[in-house]
Amino acid sequence: MAAISLSSYTIPSLNSKESSSKVSAFASRSKTTTVKFQFPVRRIQTGDLKFSSLSSSRTRFAIEAKKQTFNSLDDLLVNSDKPVFVDFYATWCGPCQMMVPILNEVSVALKDKIQVVKIDTEKYPSIANQYKIEALPTFILFKDGQPLDRFEGALAANQLIQRIENSLEVKKP
């Protein structure tokens, strides 16, 4: 049986040479699985509201990527201590790529409630067939190894968070 590698967070690649060299330098020194990226942030004030935007200041944020390997998706679903939210996607799918930052936001917002997993349907067609994935992106929320909710198509982060929370509340034992 082949091992399946699943990521609970997906971090889009950085294309600038400067960012790549910082990441490479960090990765070569680090012996842990934590990956840190530097993002400059500038605060601007508009009336009474404050907004953050990218700029040349030196504020640093750490984003943690966790990659885990399981013998099967079923192994992950049954052994997870939290409900598992699975994103079935493909690299060529535009709406799937649009969901990357949204899923990162959802993963952070609901980190204590769910585990977010992404499965590339091109790499794992047997899993896609097992769950009858016919459109992308398709999302399935699992609890105790069983599907709890399923839907297709892109959603905004606040809509996705609300849908997940509603599903978890309605289906509580």
PDB file of all heavy atoms in Angstrom, residues 9-11 14 23 26 32-41 58-66 104 108 111:
ATOM      1  N   TYR A   9      -1.818  22.545   5.953  1.00  0.00           N
ATOM      2  CA  TYR A   9      -1.794  23.925   5.495  1.00  0.00           C
ATOM      3  C   TYR A   9      -1.081  23.953   4.151  1.00  0.00           C
ATOM      4  O   TYR A   9      -0.113  23.257   3.962  1.00  0.00           O
ATOM      5  CB  TYR A   9      -0.998  24.835   6.441  1.00  0.00           C
ATOM      6  CG  TYR A   9      -1.524  24.889   7.834  1.00  0.00           C
ATOM      7  CD1 TYR A   9      -0.932  24.141   8.828  1.00  0.00           C
ATOM      8  CD2 TYR A   9      -2.623  25.667   8.152  1.00  0.00           C
ATOM      9  CE1 TYR A   9      -1.403  24.180  10.116  1.00  0.00           C
ATOM     10  CE2 TYR A   9      -3.094  25.712   9.440  1.00  0.00           C
ATOM     11  CZ  TYR A   9      -2.480  24.962  10.419  1.00  0.00           C
ATOM     12  OH  TYR A   9      -2.937  25.004  11.691  1.00  0.00           O
ATOM     13  N   THR A  10      -1.544  24.785   3.252  1.00  0.00           N
ATOM     14  CA  THR A  10      -0.868  24.956   1.981  1.00  0.00           C
ATOM     15  C   THR A  10      -0.371  26.385   1.919  1.00  0.00           C
ATOM     16  O   THR A  10      -1.138  27.307   2.177  1.00  0.00           O
ATOM     17  CB  THR A  10      -1.820  24.703   0.796  1.00  0.00           C
ATOM     18  OG1 THR A  10      -2.308  23.376   0.910  1.00  0.00           O
ATOM     19  CG2 THR A  10      -1.114  24.898  -0.519  1.00  0.00           C
ATOM     20  N   ILE A  11       0.902  26.567   1.569  1.00  0.00           N
ATOM     21  CA  ILE A  11       1.475  27.893   1.475  1.00  0.00           C
ATOM     22  C   ILE A  11       1.872  28.117   0.023  1.00  0.00           C
ATOM     23  O   ILE A  11       2.636  27.344  -0.535  1.00  0.00           O
ATOM     24  CB  ILE A  11       2.710  28.027   2.390  1.00  0.00           C
ATOM     25  CG1 ILE A  11       2.293  27.757   3.834  1.00  0.00           C
ATOM     26  CG2 ILE A  11       3.343  29.391   2.237  1.00  0.00           C
ATOM     27  CD1 ILE A  11       3.415  27.682   4.799  1.00  0.00           C
ATOM     28  N   LEU A  14       6.636  31.347  -3.296  1.00  0.00           N
ATOM     29  CA  LEU A  14       7.106  32.714  -3.457  1.00  0.00           C
ATOM     30  C   LEU A  14       8.012  32.748  -4.680  1.00  0.00           C
ATOM     31  O   LEU A  14       8.902  31.934  -4.816  1.00  0.00           O
ATOM     32  CB  LEU A  14       7.880  33.157  -2.215  1.00  0.00           C
ATOM     33  CG  LEU A  14       7.080  33.079  -0.906  1.00  0.00           C
ATOM     34  CD1 LEU A  14       7.978  33.387   0.265  1.00  0.00           C
ATOM     35  CD2 LEU A  14       5.922  34.048  -0.957  1.00  0.00           C
ATOM     36  N   VAL A  23      14.053  31.817   2.261  1.00  0.00           N
ATOM     37  CA  VAL A  23      13.439  30.539   2.598  1.00  0.00           C
ATOM     38  C   VAL A  23      14.477  29.432   2.524  1.00  0.00           C
ATOM     39  O   VAL A  23      14.576  28.597   3.402  1.00  0.00           O
ATOM     40  CB  VAL A  23      12.236  30.240   1.667  1.00  0.00           C
ATOM     41  CG1 VAL A  23      11.737  28.832   1.897  1.00  0.00           C
ATOM     42  CG2 VAL A  23      11.134  31.252   1.910  1.00  0.00           C
ATOM     43  N   PHE A  26      16.884  29.630   5.434  1.00  0.00           N
ATOM     44  CA  PHE A  26      16.242  29.160   6.664  1.00  0.00           C
ATOM     45  C   PHE A  26      16.097  27.648   6.661  1.00  0.00           C
ATOM     46  O   PHE A  26      16.405  26.984   7.618  1.00  0.00           O
ATOM     47  CB  PHE A  26      14.864  29.816   6.842  1.00  0.00           C
ATOM     48  CG  PHE A  26      14.138  29.287   8.040  1.00  0.00           C
ATOM     49  CD1 PHE A  26      14.438  29.769   9.313  1.00  0.00           C
ATOM     50  CD2 PHE A  26      13.203  28.283   7.928  1.00  0.00           C
ATOM     51  CE1 PHE A  26      13.798  29.271  10.419  1.00  0.00           C
ATOM     52  CE2 PHE A  26      12.559  27.780   9.030  1.00  0.00           C
ATOM     53  CZ  PHE A  26      12.864  28.281  10.281  1.00  0.00           C
ATOM     54  N   THR A  32      13.848  21.234  11.874  1.00  0.00           N
ATOM     55  CA  THR A  32      12.458  20.953  12.216  1.00  0.00           C
ATOM     56  C   THR A  32      11.602  21.033  10.967  1.00  0.00           C
ATOM     57  O   THR A  32      12.086  21.390   9.905  1.00  0.00           O
ATOM     58  CB  THR A  32      11.936  21.971  13.252  1.00  0.00           C
ATOM     59  OG1 THR A  32      11.894  23.251  12.634  1.00  0.00           O
ATOM     60  CG2 THR A  32      12.809  22.009  14.480  1.00  0.00           C
ATOM     61  N   THR A  33      10.328  20.703  11.116  1.00  0.00           N
ATOM     62  CA  THR A  33       9.418  20.759   9.978  1.00  0.00           C
ATOM     63  C   THR A  33       8.708  22.107   9.876  1.00  0.00           C
ATOM     64  O   THR A  33       7.848  22.284   9.048  1.00  0.00           O
ATOM     65  CB  THR A  33       8.350  19.653  10.088  1.00  0.00           C
ATOM     66  OG1 THR A  33       7.661  19.817  11.316  1.00  0.00           O
ATOM     67  CG2 THR A  33       8.984  18.290   9.982  1.00  0.00           C
ATOM     68  N   THR A  34       9.057  23.059  10.735  1.00  0.00           N
ATOM     69  CA  THR A  34       8.448  24.375  10.686  1.00  0.00           C
ATOM     70  C   THR A  34       9.121  25.205   9.599  1.00  0.00           C
ATOM     71  O   THR A  34      10.333  25.228   9.488  1.00  0.00           O
ATOM     72  CB  THR A  34       8.599  25.087  12.044  1.00  0.00           C
ATOM     73  OG1 THR A  34       7.983  24.273  13.025  1.00  0.00           O
ATOM     74  CG2 THR A  34       7.965  26.455  12.021  1.00  0.00           C
ATOM     75  N   VAL A  35       8.316  25.866   8.797  1.00  0.00           N
ATOM     76  CA  VAL A  35       8.829  26.743   7.752  1.00  0.00           C
ATOM     77  C   VAL A  35       8.371  28.150   8.077  1.00  0.00           C
ATOM     78  O   VAL A  35       7.194  28.368   8.351  1.00  0.00           O
ATOM     79  CB  VAL A  35       8.290  26.335   6.358  1.00  0.00           C
ATOM     80  CG1 VAL A  35       8.811  27.265   5.295  1.00  0.00           C
ATOM     81  CG2 VAL A  35       8.659  24.904   6.051  1.00  0.00           C
ATOM     82  N   LYS A  36       9.291  29.111   8.076  1.00  0.00           N
ATOM     83  CA  LYS A  36       8.927  30.491   8.391  1.00  0.00           C
ATOM     84  C   LYS A  36       9.207  31.373   7.179  1.00  0.00           C
ATOM     85  O   LYS A  36      10.239  31.258   6.536  1.00  0.00           O
ATOM     86  CB  LYS A  36       9.720  30.998   9.593  1.00  0.00           C
ATOM     87  CG  LYS A  36       9.353  30.286  10.871  1.00  0.00           C
ATOM     88  CD  LYS A  36      10.073  30.861  12.051  1.00  0.00           C
ATOM     89  CE  LYS A  36       9.678  30.110  13.314  1.00  0.00           C
ATOM     90  NZ  LYS A  36      10.378  30.608  14.477  1.00  0.00           N
ATOM     91  N   PHE A  37       8.265  32.242   6.891  1.00  0.00           N
ATOM     92  CA  PHE A  37       8.400  33.202   5.809  1.00  0.00           C
ATOM     93  C   PHE A  37       8.303  34.600   6.397  1.00  0.00           C
ATOM     94  O   PHE A  37       7.620  34.813   7.388  1.00  0.00           O
ATOM     95  CB  PHE A  37       7.285  33.026   4.766  1.00  0.00           C
ATOM     96  CG  PHE A  37       7.328  31.700   4.082  1.00  0.00           C
ATOM     97  CD1 PHE A  37       6.596  30.628   4.555  1.00  0.00           C
ATOM     98  CD2 PHE A  37       8.118  31.511   2.962  1.00  0.00           C
ATOM     99  CE1 PHE A  37       6.630  29.404   3.936  1.00  0.00           C
ATOM    100  CE2 PHE A  37       8.169  30.288   2.338  1.00  0.00           C
ATOM    101  CZ  PHE A  37       7.424  29.241   2.814  1.00  0.00           C
ATOM    102  N   GLN A  38       8.942  35.551   5.751  1.00  0.00           N
ATOM    103  CA  GLN A  38       8.882  36.922   6.218  1.00  0.00           C
ATOM    104  C   GLN A  38       7.977  37.717   5.288  1.00  0.00           C
ATOM    105  O   GLN A  38       8.155  37.691   4.077  1.00  0.00           O
ATOM    106  CB  GLN A  38      10.271  37.539   6.225  1.00  0.00           C
ATOM    107  CG  GLN A  38      11.214  36.852   7.181  1.00  0.00           C
ATOM    108  CD  GLN A  38      12.601  37.416   7.105  1.00  0.00           C
ATOM    109  OE1 GLN A  38      12.853  38.348   6.360  1.00  0.00           O
ATOM    110  NE2 GLN A  38      13.502  36.859   7.876  1.00  0.00           N
ATOM    111  N   PHE A  39       7.004  38.425   5.858  1.00  0.00           N
ATOM    112  CA  PHE A  39       6.103  39.259   5.092  1.00  0.00           C
ATOM    113  C   PHE A  39       6.147  40.660   5.691  1.00  0.00           C
ATOM    114  O   PHE A  39       5.796  40.847   6.840  1.00  0.00           O
ATOM    115  CB  PHE A  39       4.660  38.751   5.149  1.00  0.00           C
ATOM    116  CG  PHE A  39       4.480  37.408   4.533  1.00  0.00           C
ATOM    117  CD1 PHE A  39       4.438  36.278   5.317  1.00  0.00           C
ATOM    118  CD2 PHE A  39       4.374  37.272   3.169  1.00  0.00           C
ATOM    119  CE1 PHE A  39       4.277  35.038   4.760  1.00  0.00           C
ATOM    120  CE2 PHE A  39       4.195  36.040   2.606  1.00  0.00           C
ATOM    121  CZ  PHE A  39       4.153  34.908   3.400  1.00  0.00           C
ATOM    122  N   PRO A  40       6.580  41.655   4.916  1.00  0.00           N
ATOM    123  CA  PRO A  40       6.562  43.019   5.442  1.00  0.00           C
ATOM    124  C   PRO A  40       5.122  43.541   5.506  1.00  0.00           C
ATOM    125  O   PRO A  40       4.314  43.251   4.646  1.00  0.00           O
ATOM    126  CB  PRO A  40       7.396  43.802   4.429  1.00  0.00           C
ATOM    127  CG  PRO A  40       7.347  42.990   3.185  1.00  0.00           C
ATOM    128  CD  PRO A  40       7.148  41.566   3.594  1.00  0.00           C
ATOM    129  N   VAL A  41       4.809  44.306   6.553  1.00  0.00           N
ATOM    130  CA  VAL A  41       3.468  44.862   6.724  1.00  0.00           C
ATOM    131  C   VAL A  41       3.579  46.332   7.071  1.00  0.00           C
ATOM    132  O   VAL A  41       4.456  46.734   7.825  1.00  0.00           O
ATOM    133  CB  VAL A  41       2.716  44.117   7.852  1.00  0.00           C
ATOM    134  CG1 VAL A  41       1.407  44.786   8.165  1.00  0.00           C
ATOM    135  CG2 VAL A  41       2.501  42.677   7.465  1.00  0.00           C
ATOM    136  N   ARG A  58       9.614  46.090   8.420  1.00  0.00           N
ATOM    137  CA  ARG A  58      10.250  44.829   8.804  1.00  0.00           C
ATOM    138  C   ARG A  58       9.449  44.003   9.809  1.00  0.00           C
ATOM    139  O   ARG A  58      10.025  43.271  10.589  1.00  0.00           O
ATOM    140  CB  ARG A  58      11.637  45.114   9.376  1.00  0.00           C
ATOM    141  CG  ARG A  58      12.594  45.622   8.347  1.00  0.00           C
ATOM    142  CD  ARG A  58      12.931  44.491   7.433  1.00  0.00           C
ATOM    143  NE  ARG A  58      13.504  44.994   6.204  1.00  0.00           N
ATOM    144  CZ  ARG A  58      13.656  44.288   5.130  1.00  0.00           C
ATOM    145  NH1 ARG A  58      13.250  43.040   5.099  1.00  0.00           N
ATOM    146  NH2 ARG A  58      14.191  44.791   4.062  1.00  0.00           N
ATOM    147  N   THR A  59       8.128  44.079   9.815  1.00  0.00           N
ATOM    148  CA  THR A  59       7.321  43.235  10.682  1.00  0.00           C
ATOM    149  C   THR A  59       7.359  41.816  10.139  1.00  0.00           C
ATOM    150  O   THR A  59       7.204  41.608   8.951  1.00  0.00           O
ATOM    151  CB  THR A  59       5.863  43.730  10.739  1.00  0.00           C
ATOM    152  OG1 THR A  59       5.874  45.096  11.130  1.00  0.00           O
ATOM    153  CG2 THR A  59       5.054  42.925  11.726  1.00  0.00           C
ATOM    154  N   ARG A  60       7.563  40.826  11.019  1.00  0.00           N
ATOM    155  CA  ARG A  60       7.680  39.438  10.569  1.00  0.00           C
ATOM    156  C   ARG A  60       6.560  38.588  11.149  1.00  0.00           C
ATOM    157  O   ARG A  60       6.208  38.725  12.309  1.00  0.00           O
ATOM    158  CB  ARG A  60       9.022  38.859  10.989  1.00  0.00           C
ATOM    159  CG  ARG A  60      10.161  39.559  10.332  1.00  0.00           C
ATOM    160  CD  ARG A  60      11.459  38.981  10.785  1.00  0.00           C
ATOM    161  NE  ARG A  60      12.533  39.798  10.226  1.00  0.00           N
ATOM    162  CZ  ARG A  60      13.782  39.548  10.381  1.00  0.00           C
ATOM    163  NH1 ARG A  60      14.168  38.511  11.080  1.00  0.00           N
ATOM    164  NH2 ARG A  60      14.690  40.325   9.843  1.00  0.00           N
ATOM    165  N   PHE A  61       6.037  37.690  10.312  1.00  0.00           N
ATOM    166  CA  PHE A  61       5.024  36.742  10.726  1.00  0.00           C
ATOM    167  C   PHE A  61       5.551  35.345  10.452  1.00  0.00           C
ATOM    168  O   PHE A  61       6.196  35.118   9.448  1.00  0.00           O
ATOM    169  CB  PHE A  61       3.717  36.935   9.934  1.00  0.00           C
ATOM    170  CG  PHE A  61       3.039  38.241  10.220  1.00  0.00           C
ATOM    171  CD1 PHE A  61       3.235  39.338   9.404  1.00  0.00           C
ATOM    172  CD2 PHE A  61       2.209  38.365  11.321  1.00  0.00           C
ATOM    173  CE1 PHE A  61       2.620  40.530   9.670  1.00  0.00           C
ATOM    174  CE2 PHE A  61       1.594  39.565  11.587  1.00  0.00           C
ATOM    175  CZ  PHE A  61       1.794  40.650  10.762  1.00  0.00           C
ATOM    176  N   ALA A  62       5.254  34.415  11.325  1.00  0.00           N
ATOM    177  CA  ALA A  62       5.645  33.021  11.106  1.00  0.00           C
ATOM    178  C   ALA A  62       4.417  32.240  10.660  1.00  0.00           C
ATOM    179  O   ALA A  62       3.373  32.331  11.279  1.00  0.00           O
ATOM    180  CB  ALA A  62       6.214  32.415  12.376  1.00  0.00           C
ATOM    181  N   ILE A  63       4.556  31.517   9.577  1.00  0.00           N
ATOM    182  CA  ILE A  63       3.511  30.623   9.107  1.00  0.00           C
ATOM    183  C   ILE A  63       4.051  29.219   9.261  1.00  0.00           C
ATOM    184  O   ILE A  63       5.138  28.918   8.786  1.00  0.00           O
ATOM    185  CB  ILE A  63       3.149  30.891   7.631  1.00  0.00           C
ATOM    186  CG1 ILE A  63       2.572  32.285   7.492  1.00  0.00           C
ATOM    187  CG2 ILE A  63       2.170  29.848   7.129  1.00  0.00           C
ATOM    188  CD1 ILE A  63       2.262  32.674   6.076  1.00  0.00           C
ATOM    189  N   GLU A  64       3.296  28.377   9.928  1.00  0.00           N
ATOM    190  CA  GLU A  64       3.765  27.025  10.189  1.00  0.00           C
ATOM    191  C   GLU A  64       3.090  26.049   9.231  1.00  0.00           C
ATOM    192  O   GLU A  64       1.876  26.031   9.111  1.00  0.00           O
ATOM    193  CB  GLU A  64       3.441  26.649  11.628  1.00  0.00           C
ATOM    194  CG  GLU A  64       4.187  25.455  12.101  1.00  0.00           C
ATOM    195  CD  GLU A  64       4.020  25.262  13.583  1.00  0.00           C
ATOM    196  OE1 GLU A  64       4.294  26.192  14.332  1.00  0.00           O
ATOM    197  OE2 GLU A  64       3.599  24.161  13.969  1.00  0.00           O
ATOM    198  N   ALA A  65       3.874  25.278   8.521  1.00  0.00           N
ATOM    199  CA  ALA A  65       3.345  24.256   7.614  1.00  0.00           C
ATOM    200  C   ALA A  65       3.604  22.899   8.244  1.00  0.00           C
ATOM    201  O   ALA A  65       4.701  22.629   8.713  1.00  0.00           O
ATOM    202  CB  ALA A  65       4.033  24.339   6.257  1.00  0.00           C
ATOM    203  N   LYS A  66       2.573  22.076   8.258  1.00  0.00           N
ATOM    204  CA  LYS A  66       2.721  20.763   8.864  1.00  0.00           C
ATOM    205  C   LYS A  66       2.389  19.729   7.801  1.00  0.00           C
ATOM    206  O   LYS A  66       1.291  19.704   7.274  1.00  0.00           O
ATOM    207  CB  LYS A  66       1.783  20.634  10.061  1.00  0.00           C
ATOM    208  CG  LYS A  66       1.945  19.355  10.823  1.00  0.00           C
ATOM    209  CD  LYS A  66       1.245  19.402  12.152  1.00  0.00           C
ATOM    210  CE  LYS A  66      -0.226  19.198  11.998  1.00  0.00           C
ATOM    211  NZ  LYS A  66      -0.928  19.055  13.277  1.00  0.00           N
ATOM    212  N   ASN A 104      -6.255  28.661   4.009  1.00  0.00           N
ATOM    213  CA  ASN A 104      -5.266  29.010   5.033  1.00  0.00           C
ATOM    214  C   ASN A 104      -5.930  29.811   6.146  1.00  0.00           C
ATOM    215  O   ASN A 104      -5.696  29.566   7.336  1.00  0.00           O
ATOM    216  CB  ASN A 104      -4.109  29.805   4.428  1.00  0.00           C
ATOM    217  CG  ASN A 104      -3.188  28.949   3.611  1.00  0.00           C
ATOM    218  OD1 ASN A 104      -3.138  27.739   3.772  1.00  0.00           O
ATOM    219  ND2 ASN A 104      -2.463  29.571   2.700  1.00  0.00           N
ATOM    220  N   VAL A 108      -6.524  28.556  10.094  1.00  0.00           N
ATOM    221  CA  VAL A 108      -6.069  29.311  11.267  1.00  0.00           C
ATOM    222  C   VAL A 108      -7.254  29.630  12.176  1.00  0.00           C
ATOM    223  O   VAL A 108      -7.180  29.458  13.389  1.00  0.00           O
ATOM    224  CB  VAL A 108      -5.339  30.598  10.829  1.00  0.00           C
ATOM    225  CG1 VAL A 108      -5.080  31.520  12.002  1.00  0.00           C
ATOM    226  CG2 VAL A 108      -4.029  30.252  10.130  1.00  0.00           C
ATOM    227  N   LYS A 111      -8.505  26.296  13.900  1.00  0.00           N
ATOM    228  CA  LYS A 111      -7.433  25.340  14.222  1.00  0.00           C
ATOM    229  C   LYS A 111      -7.747  24.461  15.426  1.00  0.00           C
ATOM    230  O   LYS A 111      -7.277  23.335  15.499  1.00  0.00           O
ATOM    231  CB  LYS A 111      -6.101  26.056  14.410  1.00  0.00           C
ATOM    232  CG  LYS A 111      -6.024  26.917  15.640  1.00  0.00           C
ATOM    233  CD  LYS A 111      -4.698  27.616  15.756  1.00  0.00           C
ATOM    234  CE  LYS A 111      -4.728  28.554  16.954  1.00  0.00           C
ATOM    235  NZ  LYS A 111      -3.578  29.388  17.010  1.00  0.00           N
TER     236      LYS A 111
END
